[in-house]
Amino acid sequence: MDSRRDFLQKLGLSSIVLPFVPLSGWAESLIEPETYDGPVLRVAIMGLGGYGSRVADAMQSCVKAKLVGVISGTPSKIKNWQDKYAIPEKNCYNYQNFDQIKDNPDIDAVYVITPNALHHDQVIRVAKAGKHVICEKPMAISPKEGQEMIDACKKANVKLLVGYRMHFEPKTLEVIRMRNAGEFGKVMFFQGQCGFKIGDPTQWRLNKQLAGGGSMMDIGIYAINGSRYMIGEEPMWVTAQETKTNPQIFKEGVDETIQFQMGFPGGAVASYLSSYNINYLDRFFLSGEKGFAEMQPSTGYGPIKGRTHKGELTQPHTTHQTVQMEEMAGIILEGKEPIVPVNGEEGLKDLKIIEAIYLAAKTGKKIPLKL
Ligand code: NDP
């Protein structure tokens, strides 16, 4: 197999499809391994769980980013990852000793993929060790924490990026391109629905101490963030209503289902549903005066499917985490600007909205937003 086709297939792309589809700029970053001799971002992953494993596998197809280290509380996982990814002993850390990473010149960045409530302290420790940080969503469990993380990274002169993989997804970027080009006309309405029935009641996602909340922190955030990049504006107010059918599983502070509404400065209104108790919810709908976009699934690992008033979205499926890490390496090493921001300030805006949604649900009031 020739190297170009091999490379495109690794990314989940077909070289046959590529010439016929609009690529919205995202494919400019795709580089064939044989021709690349530029800088490489050397990454350690912190938290070797479900999503960390997915990112590690996806990074094997990256050219600009390389998995070189691990930080974990589980020695057996460290051993497995060392064997699987040829990670040297000197690049392995645990949660007690990872501050020593500051003395390791072979690691440029740490990707924090642990439970939400741990991100704050871990990101600040990584920043103090002088390494760039990529942090999973939600970046923290409160705006105060998010701001402290941004400040710590600024002070240490390191970059802070949040793992918003949809910001690099081709069909999503095509909808954003169409909106920017005025193809939907004035945007009047957005609908975002994110939900699934959660399993094991003992998992950290249902523990307020570790998750910081419930479905909103985990998946409602996709609908919030999605409306911001689909409409292209920041919301001005929010109202919200919570429904709890099972307080044994969804304890105090862990939201099961929340419906919420937001208003945007251009006149658009948006309605959302975030749930840990309703299956098959992964849908965005945008309506403008001249057209519409509908995506379902809209935020899963893909393939994302969608159509607009002009027809099906035909951009190819990519492995989200591979393209994300290629792009993030470009942002950190080359100062590239993504089409939709993935910096700490972007993560903080979603945390401010989540805090306001919880307040709106609790008080029944319309909460103004200042982002
Ligand atoms: P997992 O439970 O699968 O993995 C979390 C890992 O964190 C554990 O395996 C463990 O790794 C480490 N950890 C450290 N302290 C704890 C603790 N007290 N309790 C549990 N685990 C701990 O979670 P996910 O990988 O699904 O989620 C991790 C983060 O990634 C979350 O913030 C989540 O929101 C985000 N995420 C993002 C996705 C995306 O698409 N962008 C998709 C899924 C998750 P070790 O044993 O190595 O220490």
Side-chain angles (χ1 to χ4, degrees), residues 234-249:
E234 302 301 355
M236 298 186 307
W237 55 260
V238 59
T239 51
Q241 308 81 37
E242 181 171 6
T243 308
K244 196 171 282 208
T245 63
N246 191 336
Q248 272 73 49
I249 294 177

Side-chain angles (χ1 to χ4, degrees), residues 330-348:
I331 292 168
I332 292 173
L333 298 173
E334 301 160 29
K336 278 185 74 174
E337 288 287 340
I339 293 167
V340 188
V342 286
N343 53 23
E345 285 76 8
E346 173 77 6
L348 178 60

Side-chain angles (χ1 to χ4, degrees), residues 299-310:
T299 64
Y301 299 137
I304 300 301
K305 289 197 177 129
R307 67 188 177 105
T308 72
H309 58 292
K310 294 193 165 164

Side-chain angles (χ1 to χ4, degrees), residues 130-311:
K131 304 296 177 182
H132 300 294
V133 203
I134 303 169
C135 177
E136 254 319 311
K137 44 59 54 179
M139 72 184 282
I141 59 168
S142 72
K144 179 177 176 291
E145 284 192 356
Q147 187 62 59
E148 287 169 1
M149 292 154 75
I150 292 170
D151 294 344
C153 290
K154 275 207 182 110
K155 194 171 167 204
N157 202 21
V158 297
K159 288 239 162 73
L160 169 59
L161 306 182
V162 182
Y164 286 122
R165 62 186 159 76
M166 299 313 296
H167 294 198
F168 306 104
E169 196 280 320
K171 292 186 181 74
T172 304
L173 291 178
E174 173 59 9
V175 172
I176 292 167
R177 186 202 64 72
M178 287 177 70
R179 187 214 54 232
N180 284 337
E183 293 179 31
F184 301 120
K186 186 168 145 67
V187 176
M188 301 303 293
F189 178 65
F190 173 88
Q191 191 174 38
Q193 299 162 340
C194 294
F196 66 95
K197 247 183 187 312
I198 198 156
D200 178 9
T202 66
Q203 64 185 288
W204 68 260
R205 281 183 165 78
L206 295 170
N207 174 345
K208 160 99 170 140
Q209 294 298 108
L210 286 169
S215 77
M216 190 62 63
M217 284 283 174
D218 192 27
I219 48 169
I221 191 171
Y222 283 101
I224 295 167
N225 192 258
S227 65
R228 293 178 47 237
Y229 61 66
M230 297 271 282
I231 298 173
E233 295 174 11
E234 302 301 355
M236 298 186 307
W237 55 260
V238 59
T239 51
Q241 308 81 37
E242 181 171 6
T243 308
K244 196 171 282 208
T245 63
N246 191 336
Q248 272 73 49
I249 294 177
F250 306 102
K251 300 201 166 62
E252 181 66 29
V254 178
D255 48 288
E256 175 187 320
T257 299
I258 295 184
Q259 297 183 73
F260 57 105
Q261 302 79 33
M262 296 209 280
F264 291 77
V269 289
S271 96
Y272 311 74
L273 180 59
S274 167
S275 181
Y276 264 163
N277 202 23
I278 305 175
N279 269 335
Y280 310 115
L281 290 182
D282 184 5
R283 182 174 177 270
F284 287 174
F285 179 72
L286 183 84
S287 174
E289 284 183 342
K290 292 201 293 192
F292 71 90
E294 184 178 40
M295 315 193 66
Q296 184 176 15
S298 55
T299 64
Y301 299 137
I304 300 301
K305 289 197 177 129
R307 67 188 177 105
T308 72
H309 58 292
K310 294 193 165 164

